[in-house]
Amino acid sequence: MMRAPTLRTSRAWAAAGLAAILLAWHVTAGYLGPLLMATPQEAVLAIGPLVESGRFYPAASTSLGRAFVGIGTGCLCGFVLGLAAAAHPRLRGALEPLRWLLMAIPSVVVVLLAMLWFGLGSSMVVFLAALMTAPGLYVNTVKGMLQVDRQLLEMTHVYRFGLWLRLRHLYIPALTAPLSAALLIAVNGGIRLVVMAEVLGADSGVGHALANARATFDSAELYAWVLLILAFVGVLELALIQPLQRTLGRWQELRDA
């Protein structure tokens, strides 16, 4: 079987896109002034003093812990519920209104409600991250499971395939594409949700530090925090998400071979 060509992102064009963003940032900062927007150079220079200060590591570790627990809980719940809903149409129908509600309601509304229910702190942030990341994993898991060829599924039962063989040759290949995209969206979106929740209603964390920098009009520190968040998300994607996607892709290649 001929394998479809792999589409790779051009590094040269990616660098050109990054250069365009930095140029637009620099021009906009010059137009708005240092009080409203720091230049890229000012933001980069502010990273060193910020990291060396006693505020960076407590805030970063707090936000990282919240993101890990919240996103992990949301992904696990969405995946398990997706498997159950794919196997039981009645459960899928019962969960559909809740799925629609969570995907339609603005995140800021959920933040306000969570602040009323949990107050300020980690419980509110973790609840928000878990609640808003679960639907994406749920939808993609259901979609992947429903795309499994029913004839192949019946064949695995006829030949008495064990659970491991069905997972390896049937379910994992079917879930590869939807779960790869869902994990990327869940992690990146979950981190944004954590920071937003901390900005609006937390007394610690990176979002709280961003709110303090905004309140004191310290634009250099504010954009330094933004750069550090972007760097963390980039490292997380390169070190965790992309290797996981390649691992899942091998299961797809085994099925197509």
Side-chain angles (χ1 to χ4, degrees), residues 5-247:
T6 303
L7 300 178
R8 297 183 180 274
T9 302
S10 171
R11 294 183 179 180
W13 281 104
L18 178 60
I21 292 174
L22 293 175
L23 178 61
W25 179 4
H26 182 79
V27 172
T28 305
Y31 176 76
L32 295 177
L35 189 63
L36 298 180
M37 179 179 285
T39 64
Q41 182 180 4
E42 291 171 341
V44 171
L45 292 177
I47 291 177
L50 176 60
V51 173
E52 294 174 356
S53 68
R55 297 174 287 114
F56 172 74
Y57 290 104
S61 60
T62 298
S63 296
L64 182 60
R66 290 167 174 168
F68 178 79
V69 175
I71 297 172
T73 302
C75 290
L76 179 61
C77 291
F79 180 70
V80 172
L81 288 175
L83 292 178
H88 303 284
R90 291 181 180 178
L91 176 62
R92 185 164 69 251
L95 291 176
E96 187 62 18
L98 178 61
R99 190 279 309 166
W100 178 86
L101 176 66
L102 293 179
M103 299 188 76
I105 190 170
S107 300
V108 66
V109 175
V110 183
V111 173
L112 296 177
L113 293 176
M115 288 170 60
L116 293 175
W117 298 336
F118 298 100
L120 304 180
S122 296
S123 298
M124 180 271 293
V125 179
V126 170
F127 171 79
L128 174 71
L131 191 68
M132 301 307 287
T133 55
L137 262 293
Y138 169 82
V139 169
N140 283 275
T141 301
V142 171
K143 178 181 178 181
M145 292 294 292
L146 293 180
Q147 289 178 345
V148 173
D149 191 327
R150 296 302 162 186
Q151 293 182 348
L152 292 178
L153 181 59
E154 293 177 1
M155 188 179 299
T156 60
H157 288 290
V158 169
Y159 287 96
R160 298 182 180 180
F161 276 27
L163 177 61
W164 169 244
L165 288 178
R166 288 200 300 270
L167 283 173
R168 179 177 180 180
H169 295 288
L170 193 62
Y171 294 121
I172 292 181
L175 291 173
T176 294
L179 283 188
S180 296
L183 284 173
L184 181 62
I185 295 173
V187 171
N188 291 342
I191 292 175
R192 289 200 306 267
L193 287 169
V194 167
V195 174
M196 181 187 70
E198 290 176 343
V199 169
L200 295 177
D203 53 3
S204 60
V206 172
H208 181 68
L210 281 170
N212 288 338
R214 178 195 59 187
T216 58
F217 293 98
D218 191 347
S219 61
E221 180 175 321
L222 189 151
Y223 284 94
W225 274 114
V226 172
L227 290 179
L228 288 171
I229 294 171
L230 294 176
F232 171 74
V233 173
V235 170
L236 186 64
E237 181 175 338
L238 291 174
L240 179 63
I241 302 300
Q242 290 188 6
L244 181 59
Q245 288 177 333
R246 287 193 293 269
T247 301

